[in-house]
Each structure stands twice: as structure tokens, then as C-alpha cells.
Amino acid sequence: MSTSIMNAENLVIPRPEFPHPHWQRQQWLNLNGSWSFRFDPNDEGVRSNWNKDSEVPFDADIRVPFSWASPLSGIGKDIKGIGWYRRTVTWSLPTAGGSRLFLRFGAVDYLCDVWINGSHVGSHQGGYGSFEFEVTGVWRMDGDNTIIVRTEDQDHNYQARGKQGYGEIRGIWQPVWLEVRTQTYIKDAKFRTFMDGRIEVAARIVADQAGTAELAMDFADHAVQHTVTVNLLAGENEVNTSFSVNDPKLWSPETPYLYEGALKLGGSFGLDQVSTYFGIREIATAAFGDRGYRWITLNGKPVYLNGTLDQSYHKTGYFTYPSDEEMHDEIYLMKRLGLNFVRIHIKPEEPRKLYWADKLGILVMEDMPCFWGNPDETARSAYEREALEVIERDYNHPSIFSWVMFNETWGLKTDPKEAGVTGNGGQQSSYLPETQEWVRDKYRWAKQLDPTRIIEDNSPCNYDHVETDINTWHFYINGYEQVRGHLNEVVNKTYPGSAFNCIGGNVQSDAPLMNSECGNVWGIEGGAGDSDLAWHYRYMLNEFRKHDKLCGFVFTEFRDVTNEFNGYYRLDGTGKDFGYDAFVPGMRIADLHSPDFIVIDAPPCRTVSAQEQVAVPLLRSSFSERYHSQKLKVQWELWHDDLGTRTVADSGEIQVDWDGYGVSPLSPLNLTMPDRDAVAVLAVSLVNEAGEVVTRNFTTFDVRSGETAGELLAGDGVIQIPVSSYAEQTFEHQWSSIQHAKVSGAGTGRFSYDITLPNITEKAAIHEIEIVFEAGAKRVLARNIEGSANTDMGIGAMHGADAKVEYNPNTYYMTDEEKHPSRLNVLVDGESIGSLVLPDDPADSRGVLSWHYQPVPNKLDEAGSYGYLCKLSVPVQLMTRLNHSRAFRLELQVEEGGGVTLYGRNAGRYPLDLQIRYKSQA
């Protein structure tokens, strides 16, 4: 069975666009699509001449360019070993002046051999680099051509594999294409750009024979042109030239201007033309003012790096995106959050996704893929070849500002006693001195190869830098005080000459301090499961921005993956609701990523007394000159939700001279808390001279009056009943949480409460009764039925282990676009007084009290969960009876949906127990 390209017009070609838009020739043929395929478990293919005999049956079809392990390949089997591909192609080359034909591969994992019409044309080792073979001499111009590819992926310890366990890369996993070139052609070219418009070009030209040629550069619709005459020798030639761009437009995430155009090489051989582009920008580090430390700069100015960790994983294509549109949308979704950079995690990115990073504007920190075995000579040699391929291929992308050579010492320890998820500081003895020196050598090698970018030796979780341009570290800690204390410690220990965050007798330079992984996915005992991250995220970013020395962070992570659920988005791209706009109207996650920011130096929630005087410190943090020398306003208000009515207790504004970079204190706010139980919100907005909001922030207070019941107005009253004090419940599965401040029932059932009203001597007549409570639907998890269980995935987490998330005791699904409603009937003495649809069982930053009353910071007990304010009046027909009886049974009954959850005073969103509010005559 052979797949022919002759019927390509009848096939839908996956990934039809040119694979490398930064280096594109006009004459090319996309070979993606259906190929014949066969596994070779006994390695018999070469012995049996599969490489030469096009009649040997291949028993399957595979969809290139998708890993054979992925669903989109059509194979969908995670089988390591050998796989053979075959395709028959008819394509004639232009004959004028003679042409050369190259077969190009975006990437193949891991070993690759290629035959054309039975002739071996080349071999390649490595899973991530692009490569090519010239096939001119074996290509039939006027007939069928059989392309056969043998790939082998044995998951050897020396292979650079990264985190393929999420979805294995096997065989061909990036596009394949044919490309026509002239006899003499441009092999590649590197652009080094400077802010003043100077462009240095280092090109390599492969000449068929010696002679003279003209190398021309034509960009920006002919506005930028430069031509140089070159004398070529037969073989490979290096040409260095430079030119200047007048009034250069600098590339940045805010203004991602690209100089698009072409390189043209002309001579007796004809014309070789390559479409390409460059962006003018400079990445560096610099000290400002009298600081003894540096910040990262873009185009000579400080840039605060708001970033995320991107696993670049897709559910159906694994590490190959199904379409160009989806790569575009990845960058869009990052920028939608207000992020300005992304760390591509332990893998180089596909060139088309890097193109969209260039085009749409987002900075990229690109990791080299790691190996998982010992750092022996075989692993080192394989790593070095791949790192060179990656840097050479991706050099011209203006979006890439940093190369990360290693991650968390993975692959750098010799015979470690155990392999942990994020490493183990106690194993540092296995990070041998000779390996540390090899890492130093790779750092210096990368700096020499690419002096335009920041190089990091190792992105550490074990405080084990050797030599680096950027001083980063990882942490996964939950709890406000814990995060605050950790950041204070790191900042205080960071200074030139400090041995902190270094290994082997090395010490810190004045390199910029930046976090390169953070979050709470591993900061919770047993893992955070699938839970709210909005609460933690806001106070963590607030703490980051408090420190002048810190210049950025990388949040783990952009999307959920197979066993981590801490993404801004679900794996399918659907959104999560952080709930910030409930505190400050219009607030989004992007407000926390503003280069100009107001720090509220306070806990995310503080318990205070009614009418207490509270001082709240504020700081300004500026990493942009946009508003420097302007007068901005900090507008604030203290408000609370009074049973559905937004009530402002106080408000004001502060004039601020917004001058200079960095962090500096502002005048504190002195607040008077409300006179009743409330979740009070301090909402802060920074407003520019045009009246536009620059950024928003908030903090909260649990205001306690000390009253449990009592008068509302003259003759009126309220009875508060703890939600756990029900007289009866009929659910098959029922439990309490958050220190009994919340009760839940799964499935159909009811909670019944016996209510006693004031007797007739206390209240002569009761005219109205309103029942008020907070309730949500109940999304029933496996642990609610079968009990919870910790799943210690260990190093398996890096290899796609099943997290069994519904059994995780910390799981309480964060609010997202999937809703789980229930219908709740409210009965008084068996008679219905109303029916409510509870839209969801949410958990996010709005569950202030459910977060505030967590007893242990690194264990979650339905954290962030909250419900909806429910208010029902007792009908007149029942009031006469209740006025006589002064007692009734209240039933909260679920007939459909997953169940119900009820929130008391110290849980949820509202500081109230089940309330019976009545109006009476004294």
C-alpha cells in the first residue's frame, strides 16, 4: 500500500501553510497528509528491503505531521520503537538554469533515515531540530518518486525528551515538505538588530561554483534596501554586511512591528529569493539609579515580565498543533490576560507558533529539552547537537529574549537515589562538580553563539545556579504568610557575592532577580487537585510587585494539562472565572499584570471588629515610563454587600506624582469598618489624567459585630441558625466542611430545620417572615461518594500519570464555563413557598470566607467555594398559622441536580447563617 500525492486535490492537507514563515521560498510542495505506515517491532525492515521495495505492504495509513501516539495521526498507539513511512510523489522541478531539490523535515523523533527511490539520502538524530537532505540526484522529474522514512524512538535515557509523558512525540511530528533552490543559494542568515536602526547580517551562501553574485535585502515595501557584491568560492561562504534603517520602528509586545521582505541572491545561476523578516529590538540587563542590582530591559528600558509556563500541549495533536489558527489563538489567549511573555517549557517551540509570537507580540523564554538519564558523554553529545540546531533555527525570532539551557537540574544528576517531581535539594551531592562545569561551558557557549539574548544556565528549584545572566528560582507555596515570608527571604538573600541560589562555591552577580516558576499546584499537600487559583494568584502577584528587586515571574501554567489543573484556561481553551470583577467593577486578570500597579500591602482578608479603625499601606510599582511626570489618582472605596445591596461605607482619592521606575511607598489609607457583620471590600483604582483606569486591585475584611441575632428595626428581628444544626437530613451522602460552617448533600434529599419564633409575650404579632440563606448546587465528586485518596504521582507527574483528581481531598472545581445547576425547593411545614435554580457550584476568589477560614494553608477544605444569596418570603396564607404556632419546620429540598450545599457565617461569600427575618408589632 502506497499513498500517492496525485490525488492531493481531493485530500484535506493538515497544516497546509509554509512551516517556517521566517525563511520561505516560493517553490515548495507540502507533503503533509496521508502516508502509508508500518510498525517494525523486530527491526526487520532494512534486512527485508522495506527501504527499496515499494511493493512491500504497509498495513496502515498515518496522518503526517502528527506523532503516531496521538489521536490526530490516525494511529493513536503509544508504542515506542520503529515506524516506517512511505509516500509516492510526482513533482517536476523547473529546468531553467538547473535546480536543486531538498526534502525538509520540521522535526522527527528520534532517529531518522530517508530513502528516495531506493537510494539512501541521509540520516538524522534528535527529536526537536529541523533538518534537510538534498535529493536532486535521485529525483525523477518525469515520473513517480517513492519516499521512505524509517524512524526510531526507543526512549533512551540520553534522548532529549522534555515532558513528553503528557503525550509522546514519536516519529514525524512536524511538517514535511519539498523545496526548490537555485544551484547557488542562501543557506541561512542571522540578523542582529540595534535600537539605532543598525542591522548586522551574517549570511551563509552555498555556491555551486566560484563566481560573483549580488546579495540584496529588500524590506518594508522597498523602504529598506541594501545590496552587496560578494565573491563566492565553491562550497559554503560566509558573508557579513550591515545597513541602517532610518527612523526605526522598535519591536515590543505593545508594538510588534516586523520588517517583512526578502533576501535575494542573484548571479549567473539565476535568482534565489527567500521571504523573511526581522524585528528591531535589544534585550539587555541594566542597573538604574543607585541600585546594586539589575533589571531586564527591552529597548533600553525596564520591562516587568508577566509570564506563564506553556507546556505547548494539545489534547489531540499532543505537541503538534492541529492548525495554524490554533497556534495564533494560543498567543491571543496569552495577550488577552495582559501577559507579555511566555516560557516554553523544556522544549523548543514550533516555528509557526514563534511566528505568531513575533507577529502578535509576546516575549518568549525558550527552554532546551532535557534528557532524563545520567549526564554521560552520550547524553552530552546528543544534547549539544540538538541545542545547536534549535538556536540556529530560531535565532531570528525577535520574540525570543532568553535561552534556558537546563531545567531544575533534570538530567544533570548522576545516579540520584530518587527522582522527584521538582527535584530534591538533599540530592545535590549527585550534581557533580564536573557536571556543573559542563553546564557553565554550555552557558558560555550559548552566549558566544548568541550574544543578543539572556542566557540561563539552569532554571532551578534547588538553588543551584553555576553562572547565569538571570537569577531565577522556582517556588510552589500556598498561604499568604508563607508566600510573603518566602519572597522576603529570597529578596533579602539576593545580592552580589551571595552564595544563596548557587552551588559549587559559586556566588551571585548583580544579575536580575526573577521568578521562573510559581503557583500552588505543588504547594498543596498531595497536589492542589482541581481547585480555585484566583485567590492565591492575586495575593502572590501583590507580593511580587512589593519588591523593587524583582522584575518578573512565570506562573505555572497557561493551560491545564493532563494531571495539572492550575491553568488560566482549561486544556480545551475554555475560560475560568477568577471573580475579580465582583470586588472592583471591570477588574480582570490583566489588571494584575499592569506595568503601573498599586500594591495593597495587606493580607487577602483580615478579621476586624465592626467600626474598627484600620490602616492599609499602599505602594506604587512602575516599570513603564508611560505616566512618568504625570499626576495620577488612586481612587478607593470601602463597600460591602448588605444582603444584595451594594453599600459604600467610605471613599476618596489620593493624588500621586507618578515619577520614576520601581517601587515606592504611598500614603496609607485609614479606614473605618462597617458597623455590622460584613465582608468589606477595599477597592482601589489607579486613574490617569484622562480619567482612564490604569489598573485595579482590592483586599477584603471579615467584619464581625459580635451579634448573633437581634433587632433590625423597631419591632423587627432576626433568628440565625447554624447550617449544621439541622434536625434531619435525608441525603444518601452528606458531609460538613470548613470547620462545620458548610454542609452538603449529594443527590436528591433535604435538610430540615425546626424554627422557633418569639412567643406572644415577646412579640404580640408577627406580620412578615423572610428566609435568607446562601446556597449553591453541589457537583458531586468521586471522593464525596467513595472517600478521598491522595495520589502520589512522584516523577510520574512528568510522564502523564493519572492524577485521579476527583479523589484528591483538595479538589473543588474552580468556576469555569461548565455549569452544574440544581433546583432547590423551600417548604414551610410541608408547603412550598418557592423554588430556586442554583446555577452552579462555584469556587473562586468570591468565596472569601471559605478561603479565610482554611485551618491549614497547604491543605484545602473546599476552599473558595460559595453559593448564591437566596431570599424567600412566607406567603400570607401561612402567616396566620405561624403567628399562632410560633414554630415551623423549614425544609430545603433538592429534587433534581447533583445536590445542594449550604453556607454558614464562616464560609462562602456572605457572613450569615440561615436567617429567619421577621417583622412584628411590639
Side-chain angles (χ1 to χ4, degrees):
M1 180 167 78
S2 292
T3 302
S4 174
I5 202 169
M6 294 299 291
N7 296 320
E9 65 272 15
N10 299 320
L11 300 173
V12 176
I13 299 177
R15 301 285 299 274
E17 62 286 332
F18 191 79
H20 291 186
H22 62 293
W23 195 257
Q24 180 172 357
R25 289 183 168 85
Q26 190 171 22
Q27 292 179 310
W28 70 286
L29 182 67
N30 193 318
L31 297 182
N32 293 343
S34 183
W35 291 54
S36 302
F37 181 78
R38 181 174 178 177
F39 284 117
D40 185 5
N42 300 316
D43 193 11
E44 61 180 296
V46 174
R47 295 193 306 272
S48 301
N49 293 319
W50 295 6
N51 52 322
K52 298 179 179 179
D53 186 354
S54 61
E55 300 303 317
V56 172
F58 280 22
D59 56 7
D61 286 323
I62 191 168
R63 198 165 179 248
V64 170
F66 302 107
S67 159
W68 74 58
S70 74
L72 280 182
S73 71
I75 303 296
K77 296 178 181 178
D78 183 14
I79 299 172
K80 68 180 181 180
I82 301 167
W84 289 73
Y85 298 74
R86 184 169 65 204
R87 186 161 187 175
T88 301
V89 179
T90 302
W91 197 45
S92 297
L93 280 66
T95 56
S99 299
R100 301 173 76 163
L101 183 64
F102 291 81
L103 178 60
R104 305 193 65 188
F105 293 85
V108 177
D109 196 13
Y110 178 72
L111 300 175
C112 175
D113 282 275
V114 180
W115 294 263
I116 304 289
N117 300 322
S119 297
H120 187 257
V121 296
S123 301
H124 181 264
Q125 175 181 328
Y128 292 89
S130 298
F131 58 95
E132 65 184 35
F133 305 121
E134 183 171 4
V135 299
T136 311
V138 296
W139 193 262
R140 297 168 184 156
M141 301 298 178
D142 54 357
D144 289 347
N145 294 271
T146 301
I147 304 172
I148 293 179
V149 181
R150 178 191 183 274
T151 67
E152 183 173 350
D153 184 12
Q154 300 288 3
D155 294 348
H156 292 299
N157 284 339
Y158 62 80
Q159 289 181 217
R161 299 188 64 240
K163 291 173 77 171
Q164 288 188 32
Y166 291 144
E168 292 289 340
I169 297 170
R170 301 205 185 278
I172 298 171
W173 69 278
Q174 287 189 31
V176 184
W177 70 103
L178 287 164
E179 181 177 290
V180 178
R181 302 175 195 169
T182 53
Q183 290 291 330
T184 294
Y185 65 91
I186 310 168
K187 182 178 181 180
D188 57 35
K190 292 179 180 176
F191 295 89
R192 183 172 183 179
T193 66
F194 298 86
M195 288 186 295
D196 62 3
R198 183 164 47 98
I199 313 297
E200 295 179 354
V201 182
R204 290 189 291 181
I205 297 173
V206 177
D208 179 55
Q209 56 187 359
T212 301
E214 280 197 343
L215 178 63
M217 298 158 203
D218 187 350
F219 293 93
D221 293 327
H222 314 301
V224 177
Q225 294 185 318
H226 175 70
T227 301
V228 60
T229 300
V230 293
N231 295 312
L232 301 174
L233 301 175
E236 186 172 303
N237 300 260
E238 185 168 325
V239 176
N240 293 287
T241 186
S242 64
F243 59 93
S244 292
V245 176
N246 295 325
D247 299 319
K249 298 179 180 179
L250 302 185
W251 186 97
S252 72
E254 296 75 29
T255 58
Y257 186 83
L258 299 178
Y259 285 84
E260 298 177 279
L263 295 178
K264 303 173 185 178
L265 182 69
S268 59
F269 50 84
L271 178 67
D272 182 40
Q273 180 168 318
V274 180
S275 296
T276 186
Y277 61 84
F278 60 87
I280 300 176
R281 62 100 179 96
E282 286 188 50
I283 295 290
T285 66
F288 288 79
D290 58 358
R291 295 173 176 86
Y293 46 86
R294 292 172 174 262
W295 288 332
I296 296 170
T297 61
L298 173 62
N299 299 327
K301 299 173 183 177
V303 56
Y304 193 87
L305 293 170
N306 295 283
T308 187
L309 194 76
D310 187 5
Q311 310 283 7
S312 295
Y313 172 76
H314 192 280
K315 189 174 183 178
T316 59
Y318 294 171
F319 294 97
T320 310
Y321 286 88
S323 70
D324 188 52
E325 181 181 23
E326 287 178 81
M327 286 185 277
H328 168 281
D329 291 350
E330 290 281 274
I331 307 302
Y332 162 78
L333 288 171
M334 292 175 192
K335 290 184 69 73
R336 174 181 173 271
L337 300 172
L339 301 174
N340 61 1
F341 106 95
V342 58
R343 180 182 172 201
I344 307 297
H345 197 34
I346 51 174
K347 69 177 289 291
E349 192 51 274
E350 280 203 66
R352 281 212 69 92
K353 188 172 170 187
L354 290 173
Y355 164 72
W356 288 119
D358 296 338
K359 189 76 173 175
L360 299 180
I362 199 160
L363 289 161
V364 173
M365 175 182 274
E366 185 162 290
D367 292 11
M368 297 299 119
C370 71
F371 52 87
W372 290 90
N374 283 340
D376 56 27
E377 191 54 42
T378 301
R380 292 183 184 189
S381 177
Y383 168 89
E384 289 167 356
R385 283 195 301 272
E386 288 203 62
L388 178 61
E389 287 179 335
V390 169
I391 294 174
E392 293 277 2
R393 184 193 68 189
D394 295 343
Y395 185 96
N396 285 335
H397 290 285
S399 57
I400 297 176
F401 78 94
S402 174
W403 303 113
V404 179
M405 306 311 290
F406 298 95
N407 177 73
E408 293 192 340
T409 333
W410 291 344
L412 299 179
K413 295 180 179 180
T414 300
D415 297 325
K417 293 180 181 179
E418 61 181 52
V421 173
T422 56
N424 185 330
Q427 299 176 35
Q428 290 303 80
S429 59
S430 61
Y431 185 12
L432 302 179
E434 55 265 37
T435 307
Q436 296 169 30
E437 289 309 307
W438 177 64
V439 169
R440 189 193 311 277
D441 180 66
K442 291 308 101 186
Y443 157 78
R444 293 178 176 178
W445 166 80
K447 281 187 68 65
Q448 184 176 14
L449 186 65
D450 185 358
T452 71
R453 291 182 171 92
I454 292 169
I455 311 297
E456 184 167 23
D457 59 340
N458 171 47
S459 190
C461 66
N462 293 321
Y463 306 115
D464 48 8
H465 278 302
V466 175
E467 185 175 356
T468 182
D469 292 341
I470 183 170
N471 185 6
T472 81
W473 91 105
H474 302 176
F475 77 91
Y476 293 99
I477 296 173
N478 197 58
Y480 166 73
E481 293 294 344
Q482 289 74 13
V483 168
R484 181 183 180 90
H486 174 74
L487 289 178
N488 287 338
E489 178 187 14
V490 169
V491 169
N492 290 337
K493 290 181 177 179
T494 298
Y495 52 87
S498 170
F500 177 71
N501 206 18
C502 296
I503 195 172
N506 295 288
V507 296
Q508 295 180 18
S509 66
D510 62 350
L513 176 64
M514 194 189 100
N515 169 266
S516 52
E517 284 187 35
C518 64
N520 63 354
V521 62
W522 306 115
I524 304 294
E525 185 177 302
D530 192 329
S531 58
D532 166 48
L533 54 93
W535 184 256
H536 176 277
Y537 191 76
R538 194 205 64 81
Y539 70 67
M540 182 175 68
L541 264 63
N542 216 56
E543 288 301 306
F544 276 138
R545 294 301 294 267
K546 193 178 77 174
H547 295 284
D548 188 86
K549 197 179 288 186
L550 272 166
C551 61
F553 68 91
V554 176
F555 175 69
T556 305
E557 54 208 315
F558 173 53
R559 291 183 190 247
D560 295 349
V561 286
T562 58
N563 51 25
E564 297 176 14
F565 308 95
N566 49 305
Y568 296 107
Y569 300 98
R570 294 294 180 192
L571 179 56
D572 63 5
T574 55
K576 298 181 182 180
D577 191 345
F578 281 55
Y580 296 151
D581 60 344
F583 300 92
V584 191
M587 182 171 175
R588 303 183 299 124
I589 304 172
D591 284 281
L592 299 176
H593 303 147
S594 172
D596 294 288
F597 188 76
I598 296 296
V599 177
I600 302 175
D601 191 10
C605 185
R606 192 187 333 175
T607 300
V608 295
S609 298
Q611 297 186 303
E612 182 179 338
Q613 302 292 310
V614 177
V616 180
L618 302 180
L619 302 95
R620 62 176 291 279
S621 172
S622 179
F623 281 82
S624 165
E625 64 178 7
R626 181 175 181 181
Y627 300 111
H628 288 181
S629 301
Q630 294 187 28
K631 289 188 179 296
L632 304 188
K633 291 186 291 188
V634 177
Q635 296 180 340
W636 62 271
E637 65 177 13
L638 182 69
W639 69 274
H640 65 279
D641 185 327
D642 188 5
L643 297 183
T645 301
R646 192 177 192 275
T647 303
V648 177
D650 199 359
S651 63
E653 65 181 36
I654 304 170
Q655 296 284 343
V656 181
D657 293 326
W658 203 262
D659 290 323
Y661 294 111
V663 181
S664 57
L666 299 175
S667 299
L669 296 179
N670 295 299
L671 310 174
T672 301
M673 290 295 119
D675 62 356
R676 65 194 65 198
D677 278 55
V679 171
V681 178
L682 171 62
V684 173
S685 296
L686 180 65
V687 179
N688 66 18
E689 292 177 337
E692 301 163 329
V693 176
V694 176
T695 185
R696 304 168 179 87
N697 202 353
F698 69 90
T699 191
T700 64
F701 305 88
D702 177 22
V703 183
R704 305 189 76 97
S705 67
E707 301 290 334
T708 58
E711 301 286 328
L712 298 177
L713 296 171
D716 301 343
V718 58
I719 300 168
Q720 299 205 85
I721 301 113
V723 293
S724 59
S725 64
Y726 50 82
E728 182 186 14
Q729 65 85 19
T730 62
F731 294 96
E732 183 177 357
H733 300 282
Q734 191 280 318
W735 65 97
S736 64
S737 53
I738 315 179
Q739 304 174 81
H740 302 287
K742 175 183 174 184
V743 296
S744 301
T748 301
R750 67 179 182 273
F751 288 107
S752 301
Y753 298 86
D754 289 332
I755 310 299
T756 301
L757 299 170
N759 61 41
I760 197 166
T761 59
E762 296 173 309
K763 301 293 179 185
I766 296 177
H767 301 299
E768 296 178 17
I769 293 177
E770 184 180 43
I771 299 167
V772 181
F773 57 94
E774 181 180 350
K778 185 72 208 81
R779 181 178 184 178
V780 181
L781 307 178
R783 68 176 171 85
N784 301 142
I785 307 302
E786 303 172 38
S788 62
N790 279 314
T791 302
D792 183 5
M793 294 178 287
I795 197 65
M798 302 296 106
H799 304 295
D802 184 359
K804 298 182 180 178
V805 64
E806 287 210 354
Y807 292 92
N808 190 310
N810 301 303
T811 289
Y812 203 101
Y813 286 105
M814 184 173 175
T815 316
D816 59 19
E817 295 178 22
E818 183 181 352
K819 305 304 178 189
H820 298 269
S822 286
R823 179 173 291 278
L824 180 69
N825 298 318
V826 181
L827 299 91
V828 171
D829 286 344
E831 295 187 30
S832 175
I833 65 167
S835 182
L836 304 166
V837 173
L838 303 172
D840 196 15
D841 181 16
D844 55 63
S845 60
R846 285 167 283 197
V848 172
L849 298 171
S850 292
W851 271 114
H852 187 47
Y853 289 102
Q854 291 292 306
V856 183
N858 67 340
K859 294 181 181 179
L860 303 183
D861 184 14
E862 306 197 354
S865 60
Y866 65 95
Y868 304 90
L869 186 64
C870 302
K871 296 196 288 188
L872 297 97
S873 295
V874 175
V876 174
Q877 297 93 325
L878 280 173
M879 281 308 307
T880 303
R881 186 192 313 164
L882 298 184
N883 187 52
H884 285 294
S885 66
R886 298 301 172 103
F888 64 91
R889 171 160 281 204
L890 173 66
E891 294 176 295
L892 305 178
Q893 178 191 79
V894 178
E895 291 186 348
E896 56 185 84
V900 68
T901 186
L902 304 177
Y903 294 86
R905 169 61 181 82
N906 291 349
R909 183 175 182 179
Y910 300 93
L912 55 87
D913 285 310
L914 182 72
Q915 289 191 356
I916 311 299
R917 303 170 74 87
Y918 58 87
K919 293 182 180 292
S920 66
Q921 180 176 331

